[in-house]
Amino acid sequence: MVQEGPREPLAYYFRDLLLVREPRATRLYLVRHAQSEGNAGADWQPDPPLTELGREQARLVGERLARQGIDAIFSSPLRRALQTARPLAEATGLSITVIDDLREIDVGLVEKDAVRVAQEKREAIHRRLAENPSWDAFPGSEGSGPFRARITTAIDSIVRQCPGQRVVVVTHGGVIQTYVSVILGLKGDVYFYPFNAGITSIRALDNRRVLWRLNDIAHLDTGQEGKSLVT
């Protein structure tokens, strides 16, 4: 008589690999900050605040994550991230732990003075990005290697501090793009657009990292008066 196999092969074979129902795994919710004045097209400034729309996005993502039973909140030190984290902290009664290494990548003068960057330099950057979507394409940037090391070390430290917990990390688009590339083993850094106030969920145990959800914005589909708040 042939022994009956598992009825749900994916759950049976991949349970350990994908950290399904693994109580020791840390559940990381990486949140890109809500819309800032910089995202809305304002003149460059080093640490822009959220827009009115961004504050509403922050409220909505905070309400959604508060229902997840969050144990800890970490944030980049930049104002747009802290302002995004604040509604969640208020809803849960948790404090916000600031980690400097969760700040956005420094891409050098290109970001600060994009209008006056010479046309030939802009075209060269476009060509380099097309060949390899890496932060190394930007002259004077922090660089892909150092940036990867910085954010990986920061997030690994959070995982060690919070075994088996549900943890929100409010940070930046570049951080989330690059960290996803790292855990998927991708050479480049930029393969998707992280929406403002979007959630990327990762499970972590020891040296394993599993991507569970990418760029989730369901909480932004209908804001006030039924309007989408996706930016």
Side-chain angles (χ1 to χ4, degrees), residues 19-94:
L19 301 177
V20 179
R21 300 189 185 92
E22 172 51 76
R24 298 172 299 160
T26 301
R27 300 188 183 194
L28 295 168
Y29 300 96
L30 306 183
V31 178
R32 187 188 179 195
H33 62 80
Q35 186 191 67
S36 70
E37 290 184 358
N39 298 142
D43 290 339
W44 184 88
Q45 52 181 304
D47 195 7
L50 297 184
T51 62
E52 181 179 352
L53 175 61
R55 290 191 292 273
E56 177 65 8
Q57 290 174 334
R59 182 186 68 81
L60 290 171
V61 72
E63 287 181 353
R64 181 178 180 186
L65 288 169
R67 296 192 293 268
Q68 299 290 324
I70 298 302
D71 297 298
I73 305 170
F74 294 83
S75 177
S76 155
L78 297 180
R79 178 164 50 170
R80 55 195 184 273
L82 288 169
Q83 289 181 339
T84 302
R86 194 164 297 134
L88 175 60
E90 293 172 353
T92 59
L94 296 169

Side-chain angles (χ1 to χ4, degrees), residues 16 28 45 100 121 127 130 151-153 172 191 195 198 207:
D16 294 336
L28 295 168
Q45 52 181 304
D100 186 63
K121 288 186 178 180
R127 288 195 300 271
I151 63 174
T152 299
T153 298
H172 304 271
Y191 290 101
F195 289 106
N207 293 323

